[in-house]
PDB file of all heavy atoms in Angstrom:
ATOM      1  N   PHE O 158      20.538  15.339  -0.835  1.00  0.00           N
ATOM      2  CA  PHE O 158      21.214  14.084  -1.088  1.00  0.00           C
ATOM      3  C   PHE O 158      20.446  13.230  -2.094  1.00  0.00           C
ATOM      4  O   PHE O 158      21.002  12.570  -2.949  1.00  0.00           O
ATOM      5  CB  PHE O 158      21.387  13.320   0.244  1.00  0.00           C
ATOM      6  CG  PHE O 158      22.262  12.107   0.101  1.00  0.00           C
ATOM      7  CD1 PHE O 158      23.645  12.231   0.067  1.00  0.00           C
ATOM      8  CD2 PHE O 158      21.708  10.843  -0.010  1.00  0.00           C
ATOM      9  CE1 PHE O 158      24.445  11.124  -0.059  1.00  0.00           C
ATOM     10  CE2 PHE O 158      22.529   9.744  -0.131  1.00  0.00           C
ATOM     11  CZ  PHE O 158      23.896   9.872  -0.160  1.00  0.00           C
ATOM     12  N   LEU O 159      19.118  13.275  -1.937  1.00  0.00           N
ATOM     13  CA  LEU O 159      18.278  12.501  -2.837  1.00  0.00           C
ATOM     14  C   LEU O 159      18.428  12.974  -4.280  1.00  0.00           C
ATOM     15  O   LEU O 159      18.572  12.168  -5.192  1.00  0.00           O
ATOM     16  CB  LEU O 159      16.808  12.661  -2.402  1.00  0.00           C
ATOM     17  CG  LEU O 159      15.758  12.057  -3.349  1.00  0.00           C
ATOM     18  CD1 LEU O 159      15.939  10.542  -3.436  1.00  0.00           C
ATOM     19  CD2 LEU O 159      14.366  12.390  -2.847  1.00  0.00           C
ATOM     20  N   LYS O 160      18.460  14.273  -4.498  1.00  0.00           N
ATOM     21  CA  LYS O 160      18.583  14.799  -5.855  1.00  0.00           C
ATOM     22  C   LYS O 160      19.921  14.456  -6.464  1.00  0.00           C
ATOM     23  O   LYS O 160      20.028  14.157  -7.647  1.00  0.00           O
ATOM     24  CB  LYS O 160      18.398  16.327  -5.838  1.00  0.00           C
ATOM     25  CG  LYS O 160      16.960  16.736  -5.565  1.00  0.00           C
ATOM     26  CD  LYS O 160      16.802  18.250  -5.579  1.00  0.00           C
ATOM     27  CE  LYS O 160      15.353  18.631  -5.300  1.00  0.00           C
ATOM     28  NZ  LYS O 160      15.167  20.107  -5.288  1.00  0.00           N
ATOM     29  N   SER O 161      21.013  14.468  -5.655  1.00  0.00           N
ATOM     30  CA  SER O 161      22.326  14.114  -6.193  1.00  0.00           C
ATOM     31  C   SER O 161      22.366  12.655  -6.602  1.00  0.00           C
ATOM     32  O   SER O 161      22.949  12.298  -7.612  1.00  0.00           O
ATOM     33  CB  SER O 161      23.412  14.405  -5.138  1.00  0.00           C
ATOM     34  OG  SER O 161      23.216  13.593  -4.007  1.00  0.00           O
ATOM     35  N   LYS O 162      21.707  11.804  -5.817  1.00  0.00           N
ATOM     36  CA  LYS O 162      21.670  10.389  -6.159  1.00  0.00           C
ATOM     37  C   LYS O 162      20.812  10.141  -7.395  1.00  0.00           C
ATOM     38  O   LYS O 162      21.095   9.250  -8.181  1.00  0.00           O
ATOM     39  CB  LYS O 162      21.128   9.582  -4.970  1.00  0.00           C
ATOM     40  CG  LYS O 162      22.143   9.406  -3.865  1.00  0.00           C
ATOM     41  CD  LYS O 162      23.340   8.605  -4.346  1.00  0.00           C
ATOM     42  CE  LYS O 162      24.380   8.360  -3.246  1.00  0.00           C
ATOM     43  NZ  LYS O 162      25.508   7.543  -3.761  1.00  0.00           N
ATOM     44  N   GLU O 163      19.769  10.918  -7.547  1.00  0.00           N
ATOM     45  CA  GLU O 163      18.916  10.742  -8.737  1.00  0.00           C
ATOM     46  C   GLU O 163      19.708  11.040  -9.999  1.00  0.00           C
ATOM     47  O   GLU O 163      19.578  10.343 -11.002  1.00  0.00           O
ATOM     48  CB  GLU O 163      17.709  11.687  -8.652  1.00  0.00           C
ATOM     49  CG  GLU O 163      16.629  11.200  -7.720  1.00  0.00           C
ATOM     50  CD  GLU O 163      15.483  12.164  -7.685  1.00  0.00           C
ATOM     51  OE1 GLU O 163      15.667  13.315  -8.105  1.00  0.00           O
ATOM     52  OE2 GLU O 163      14.405  11.754  -7.239  1.00  0.00           O
ATOM     53  N   LYS O 164      20.562  12.066  -9.935  1.00  0.00           N
ATOM     54  CA  LYS O 164      21.363  12.391 -11.098  1.00  0.00           C
ATOM     55  C   LYS O 164      22.353  11.294 -11.394  1.00  0.00           C
ATOM     56  O   LYS O 164      22.618  10.957 -12.532  1.00  0.00           O
ATOM     57  CB  LYS O 164      22.102  13.710 -10.861  1.00  0.00           C
ATOM     58  CG  LYS O 164      21.172  14.917 -10.819  1.00  0.00           C
ATOM     59  CD  LYS O 164      21.939  16.195 -10.583  1.00  0.00           C
ATOM     60  CE  LYS O 164      21.004  17.384 -10.526  1.00  0.00           C
ATOM     61  NZ  LYS O 164      21.748  18.658 -10.282  1.00  0.00           N
ATOM     62  N   GLN O 165      22.959  10.718 -10.349  1.00  0.00           N
ATOM     63  CA  GLN O 165      23.948   9.670 -10.556  1.00  0.00           C
ATOM     64  C   GLN O 165      23.318   8.430 -11.166  1.00  0.00           C
ATOM     65  O   GLN O 165      23.899   7.768 -11.997  1.00  0.00           O
ATOM     66  CB  GLN O 165      24.630   9.311  -9.229  1.00  0.00           C
ATOM     67  CG  GLN O 165      25.453  10.450  -8.651  1.00  0.00           C
ATOM     68  CD  GLN O 165      25.996  10.105  -7.289  1.00  0.00           C
ATOM     69  OE1 GLN O 165      25.877   8.965  -6.831  1.00  0.00           O
ATOM     70  NE2 GLN O 165      26.618  11.083  -6.630  1.00  0.00           N
ATOM     71  N   CYS O 166      22.137   8.073 -10.735  1.00  0.00           N
ATOM     72  CA  CYS O 166      21.504   6.825 -11.190  1.00  0.00           C
ATOM     73  C   CYS O 166      20.583   7.035 -12.385  1.00  0.00           C
ATOM     74  O   CYS O 166      19.967   6.088 -12.877  1.00  0.00           O
ATOM     75  CB  CYS O 166      20.713   6.185 -10.044  1.00  0.00           C
ATOM     76  SG  CYS O 166      21.730   5.754  -8.645  1.00  0.00           S
ATOM     77  N   ASP O 167      20.448   8.321 -12.812  1.00  0.00           N
ATOM     78  CA  ASP O 167      19.574   8.642 -13.943  1.00  0.00           C
ATOM     79  C   ASP O 167      18.160   8.130 -13.699  1.00  0.00           C
ATOM     80  O   ASP O 167      17.552   7.432 -14.522  1.00  0.00           O
ATOM     81  CB  ASP O 167      20.142   8.027 -15.220  1.00  0.00           C
ATOM     82  CG  ASP O 167      19.525   8.680 -16.446  1.00  0.00           C
ATOM     83  OD1 ASP O 167      18.911   9.769 -16.296  1.00  0.00           O
ATOM     84  OD2 ASP O 167      19.652   8.108 -17.558  1.00  0.00           O
ATOM     85  N   LEU O 168      17.671   8.471 -12.475  1.00  0.00           N
ATOM     86  CA  LEU O 168      16.319   8.018 -12.129  1.00  0.00           C
ATOM     87  C   LEU O 168      15.243   8.671 -12.979  1.00  0.00           C
ATOM     88  O   LEU O 168      14.111   8.209 -13.011  1.00  0.00           O
ATOM     89  CB  LEU O 168      16.049   8.323 -10.648  1.00  0.00           C
ATOM     90  CG  LEU O 168      16.815   7.476  -9.652  1.00  0.00           C
ATOM     91  CD1 LEU O 168      16.440   7.893  -8.225  1.00  0.00           C
ATOM     92  CD2 LEU O 168      16.523   6.001  -9.859  1.00  0.00           C
ATOM     93  N   SER O 169      15.562   9.763 -13.682  1.00  0.00           N
ATOM     94  CA  SER O 169      14.541  10.413 -14.515  1.00  0.00           C
ATOM     95  C   SER O 169      14.107   9.537 -15.673  1.00  0.00           C
ATOM     96  O   SER O 169      13.080   9.785 -16.287  1.00  0.00           O
ATOM     97  CB  SER O 169      15.092  11.744 -15.058  1.00  0.00           C
ATOM     98  OG  SER O 169      16.238  11.506 -15.856  1.00  0.00           O
ATOM     99  N   LYS O 170      14.908   8.495 -15.986  1.00  0.00           N
ATOM    100  CA  LYS O 170      14.540   7.604 -17.076  1.00  0.00           C
ATOM    101  C   LYS O 170      13.669   6.449 -16.623  1.00  0.00           C
ATOM    102  O   LYS O 170      13.272   5.614 -17.420  1.00  0.00           O
ATOM    103  CB  LYS O 170      15.804   7.054 -17.746  1.00  0.00           C
ATOM    104  CG  LYS O 170      16.634   8.143 -18.430  1.00  0.00           C
ATOM    105  CD  LYS O 170      17.838   7.542 -19.119  1.00  0.00           C
ATOM    106  CE  LYS O 170      18.684   8.612 -19.792  1.00  0.00           C
ATOM    107  NZ  LYS O 170      19.866   8.033 -20.462  1.00  0.00           N
ATOM    108  N   ILE O 171      13.430   6.359 -15.335  1.00  0.00           N
ATOM    109  CA  ILE O 171      12.616   5.244 -14.842  1.00  0.00           C
ATOM    110  C   ILE O 171      11.163   5.495 -15.215  1.00  0.00           C
ATOM    111  O   ILE O 171      10.579   6.478 -14.769  1.00  0.00           O
ATOM    112  CB  ILE O 171      12.751   5.076 -13.326  1.00  0.00           C
ATOM    113  CG1 ILE O 171      14.220   4.805 -12.976  1.00  0.00           C
ATOM    114  CG2 ILE O 171      11.854   3.964 -12.820  1.00  0.00           C
ATOM    115  CD1 ILE O 171      14.466   4.741 -11.481  1.00  0.00           C
ATOM    116  N   LYS O 172      10.559   4.628 -16.020  1.00  0.00           N
ATOM    117  CA  LYS O 172       9.183   4.846 -16.479  1.00  0.00           C
ATOM    118  C   LYS O 172       8.212   4.681 -15.335  1.00  0.00           C
ATOM    119  O   LYS O 172       8.354   3.808 -14.514  1.00  0.00           O
ATOM    120  CB  LYS O 172       8.837   3.848 -17.590  1.00  0.00           C
ATOM    121  CG  LYS O 172       9.634   4.071 -18.848  1.00  0.00           C
ATOM    122  CD  LYS O 172       9.210   3.079 -19.935  1.00  0.00           C
ATOM    123  CE  LYS O 172      10.007   3.314 -21.189  1.00  0.00           C
ATOM    124  NZ  LYS O 172       9.596   2.370 -22.244  1.00  0.00           N
ATOM    125  N   GLY O 173       7.202   5.524 -15.378  1.00  0.00           N
ATOM    126  CA  GLY O 173       6.122   5.420 -14.405  1.00  0.00           C
ATOM    127  C   GLY O 173       6.370   6.123 -13.121  1.00  0.00           C
ATOM    128  O   GLY O 173       5.532   6.066 -12.228  1.00  0.00           O
ATOM    129  N   SER O 174       7.563   6.783 -12.916  1.00  0.00           N
ATOM    130  CA  SER O 174       7.782   7.469 -11.656  1.00  0.00           C
ATOM    131  C   SER O 174       6.902   8.695 -11.561  1.00  0.00           C
ATOM    132  O   SER O 174       6.474   9.253 -12.551  1.00  0.00           O
ATOM    133  CB  SER O 174       9.253   7.859 -11.522  1.00  0.00           C
ATOM    134  OG  SER O 174       9.558   8.876 -12.452  1.00  0.00           O
ATOM    135  N   VAL O 175       6.690   9.134 -10.323  1.00  0.00           N
ATOM    136  CA  VAL O 175       5.830  10.292 -10.118  1.00  0.00           C
ATOM    137  C   VAL O 175       6.463  11.539 -10.686  1.00  0.00           C
ATOM    138  O   VAL O 175       5.791  12.375 -11.279  1.00  0.00           O
ATOM    139  CB  VAL O 175       5.541  10.460  -8.620  1.00  0.00           C
ATOM    140  CG1 VAL O 175       4.717  11.728  -8.369  1.00  0.00           C
ATOM    141  CG2 VAL O 175       4.792   9.246  -8.102  1.00  0.00           C
ATOM    142  N   TYR O 176       7.781  11.680 -10.575  1.00  0.00           N
ATOM    143  CA  TYR O 176       8.447  12.867 -11.104  1.00  0.00           C
ATOM    144  C   TYR O 176       8.341  12.917 -12.609  1.00  0.00           C
ATOM    145  O   TYR O 176       8.190  13.987 -13.199  1.00  0.00           O
ATOM    146  CB  TYR O 176       9.914  12.892 -10.686  1.00  0.00           C
ATOM    147  CG  TYR O 176      10.143  13.366  -9.278  1.00  0.00           C
ATOM    148  CD1 TYR O 176      11.342  13.157  -8.633  1.00  0.00           C
ATOM    149  CD2 TYR O 176       9.124  14.053  -8.611  1.00  0.00           C
ATOM    150  CE1 TYR O 176      11.553  13.598  -7.347  1.00  0.00           C
ATOM    151  CE2 TYR O 176       9.324  14.503  -7.316  1.00  0.00           C
ATOM    152  CZ  TYR O 176      10.551  14.269  -6.680  1.00  0.00           C
ATOM    153  OH  TYR O 176      10.755  14.701  -5.407  1.00  0.00           O
ATOM    154  N   ASP O 177       8.427  11.756 -13.280  1.00  0.00           N
ATOM    155  CA  ASP O 177       8.294  11.749 -14.747  1.00  0.00           C
ATOM    156  C   ASP O 177       6.941  12.283 -15.160  1.00  0.00           C
ATOM    157  O   ASP O 177       6.803  12.985 -16.161  1.00  0.00           O
ATOM    158  CB  ASP O 177       8.490  10.342 -15.299  1.00  0.00           C
ATOM    159  CG  ASP O 177       9.956   9.952 -15.315  1.00  0.00           C
ATOM    160  OD1 ASP O 177      10.819  10.849 -15.261  1.00  0.00           O
ATOM    161  OD2 ASP O 177      10.224   8.745 -15.408  1.00  0.00           O
ATOM    162  N   THR O 178       5.924  11.925 -14.395  1.00  0.00           N
ATOM    163  CA  THR O 178       4.557  12.294 -14.761  1.00  0.00           C
ATOM    164  C   THR O 178       4.247  13.734 -14.402  1.00  0.00           C
ATOM    165  O   THR O 178       3.688  14.490 -15.183  1.00  0.00           O
ATOM    166  CB  THR O 178       3.557  11.364 -14.058  1.00  0.00           C
ATOM    167  OG1 THR O 178       3.863  10.025 -14.418  1.00  0.00           O
ATOM    168  CG2 THR O 178       2.132  11.699 -14.477  1.00  0.00           C
ATOM    169  N   VAL O 179       4.644  14.119 -13.144  1.00  0.00           N
ATOM    170  CA  VAL O 179       4.235  15.419 -12.640  1.00  0.00           C
ATOM    171  C   VAL O 179       5.137  16.532 -13.128  1.00  0.00           C
ATOM    172  O   VAL O 179       4.670  17.601 -13.489  1.00  0.00           O
ATOM    173  CB  VAL O 179       4.184  15.383 -11.106  1.00  0.00           C
ATOM    174  CG1 VAL O 179       3.832  16.753 -10.555  1.00  0.00           C
ATOM    175  CG2 VAL O 179       3.185  14.334 -10.656  1.00  0.00           C
ATOM    176  N   TYR O 180       6.446  16.297 -13.173  1.00  0.00           N
ATOM    177  CA  TYR O 180       7.408  17.358 -13.430  1.00  0.00           C
ATOM    178  C   TYR O 180       8.036  17.295 -14.810  1.00  0.00           C
ATOM    179  O   TYR O 180       8.995  17.978 -15.076  1.00  0.00           O
ATOM    180  CB  TYR O 180       8.508  17.327 -12.372  1.00  0.00           C
ATOM    181  CG  TYR O 180       7.972  17.569 -10.986  1.00  0.00           C
ATOM    182  CD1 TYR O 180       7.893  16.526 -10.065  1.00  0.00           C
ATOM    183  CD2 TYR O 180       7.522  18.829 -10.614  1.00  0.00           C
ATOM    184  CE1 TYR O 180       7.389  16.746  -8.810  1.00  0.00           C
ATOM    185  CE2 TYR O 180       7.015  19.051  -9.353  1.00  0.00           C
ATOM    186  CZ  TYR O 180       6.946  18.005  -8.439  1.00  0.00           C
ATOM    187  OH  TYR O 180       6.447  18.202  -7.190  1.00  0.00           O
ATOM    188  N   SER O 181       7.519  16.436 -15.742  1.00  0.00           N
ATOM    189  CA  SER O 181       8.067  16.373 -17.096  1.00  0.00           C
ATOM    190  C   SER O 181       7.733  17.652 -17.835  1.00  0.00           C
ATOM    191  O   SER O 181       6.677  18.240 -17.622  1.00  0.00           O
ATOM    192  CB  SER O 181       7.502  15.173 -17.843  1.00  0.00           C
ATOM    193  OG  SER O 181       6.091  15.276 -17.924  1.00  0.00           O
ATOM    194  N   PRO O 182       8.618  18.151 -18.719  1.00  0.00           N
ATOM    195  CA  PRO O 182       8.368  19.401 -19.458  1.00  0.00           C
ATOM    196  C   PRO O 182       7.124  19.257 -20.337  1.00  0.00           C
ATOM    197  O   PRO O 182       6.874  18.188 -20.903  1.00  0.00           O
ATOM    198  CB  PRO O 182       9.634  19.578 -20.308  1.00  0.00           C
ATOM    199  CG  PRO O 182      10.657  18.735 -19.651  1.00  0.00           C
ATOM    200  CD  PRO O 182       9.934  17.583 -19.036  1.00  0.00           C
ATOM    201  N   PRO O 183       6.350  20.327 -20.467  1.00  0.00           N
ATOM    202  CA  PRO O 183       5.124  20.249 -21.281  1.00  0.00           C
ATOM    203  C   PRO O 183       5.440  20.111 -22.758  1.00  0.00           C
ATOM    204  O   PRO O 183       6.395  20.702 -23.254  1.00  0.00           O
ATOM    205  CB  PRO O 183       4.417  21.565 -20.979  1.00  0.00           C
ATOM    206  CG  PRO O 183       5.498  22.495 -20.557  1.00  0.00           C
ATOM    207  CD  PRO O 183       6.516  21.639 -19.835  1.00  0.00           C
ATOM    208  N   GLU O 184       4.643  19.313 -23.447  1.00  0.00           N
ATOM    209  CA  GLU O 184       4.822  19.052 -24.875  1.00  0.00           C
ATOM    210  C   GLU O 184       3.623  19.596 -25.642  1.00  0.00           C
ATOM    211  O   GLU O 184       2.480  19.424 -25.239  1.00  0.00           O
ATOM    212  CB  GLU O 184       4.973  17.549 -25.128  1.00  0.00           C
ATOM    213  CG  GLU O 184       5.168  17.208 -26.595  1.00  0.00           C
ATOM    214  CD  GLU O 184       5.337  15.714 -26.798  1.00  0.00           C
ATOM    215  OE1 GLU O 184       5.472  14.991 -25.778  1.00  0.00           O
ATOM    216  OE2 GLU O 184       5.319  15.262 -27.952  1.00  0.00           O
ATOM    217  N   CYS O 185       3.883  20.252 -26.767  1.00  0.00           N
ATOM    218  CA  CYS O 185       2.807  20.837 -27.577  1.00  0.00           C
ATOM    219  C   CYS O 185       1.937  19.736 -28.176  1.00  0.00           C
ATOM    220  O   CYS O 185       2.471  18.806 -28.802  1.00  0.00           O
ATOM    221  CB  CYS O 185       3.400  21.707 -28.692  1.00  0.00           C
ATOM    222  SG  CYS O 185       2.131  22.399 -29.790  1.00  0.00           S
ATOM    223  N   PRO O 186       0.639  19.792 -27.981  1.00  0.00           N
ATOM    224  CA  PRO O 186      -0.243  18.740 -28.517  1.00  0.00           C
ATOM    225  C   PRO O 186      -0.398  18.807 -30.034  1.00  0.00           C
ATOM    226  O   PRO O 186      -0.909  17.872 -30.633  1.00  0.00           O
ATOM    227  CB  PRO O 186      -1.578  19.025 -27.812  1.00  0.00           C
ATOM    228  CG  PRO O 186      -1.552  20.493 -27.537  1.00  0.00           C
ATOM    229  CD  PRO O 186      -0.117  20.822 -27.243  1.00  0.00           C
ATOM    230  N   PHE O 187       0.066  19.922 -30.654  1.00  0.00           N
ATOM    231  CA  PHE O 187      -0.117  20.074 -32.098  1.00  0.00           C
ATOM    232  C   PHE O 187       1.140  19.722 -32.881  1.00  0.00           C
ATOM    233  O   PHE O 187       1.059  19.044 -33.910  1.00  0.00           O
ATOM    234  CB  PHE O 187      -0.543  21.510 -32.429  1.00  0.00           C
ATOM    235  CG  PHE O 187      -1.832  21.923 -31.763  1.00  0.00           C
ATOM    236  CD1 PHE O 187      -1.834  22.870 -30.765  1.00  0.00           C
ATOM    237  CD2 PHE O 187      -3.031  21.340 -32.133  1.00  0.00           C
ATOM    238  CE1 PHE O 187      -3.008  23.249 -30.154  1.00  0.00           C
ATOM    239  CE2 PHE O 187      -4.211  21.715 -31.530  1.00  0.00           C
ATOM    240  CZ  PHE O 187      -4.205  22.669 -30.535  1.00  0.00           C
TER     241      PHE O 187
END
Side-chain angles (χ1 to χ4, degrees):
F158 189 79
L159 172 63
K160 289 181 180 179
S161 63
K162 284 297 182 178
E163 282 180 343
K164 291 180 181 180
Q165 295 175 8
C166 299
D167 198 15
L168 289 180
S169 61
K170 295 182 181 180
I171 300 175
K172 294 182 180 180
S174 69
V175 176
Y176 281 164
D177 284 341
T178 303
V179 177
Y180 298 108
S181 60
E184 180 179 351
C185 177
F187 301 111

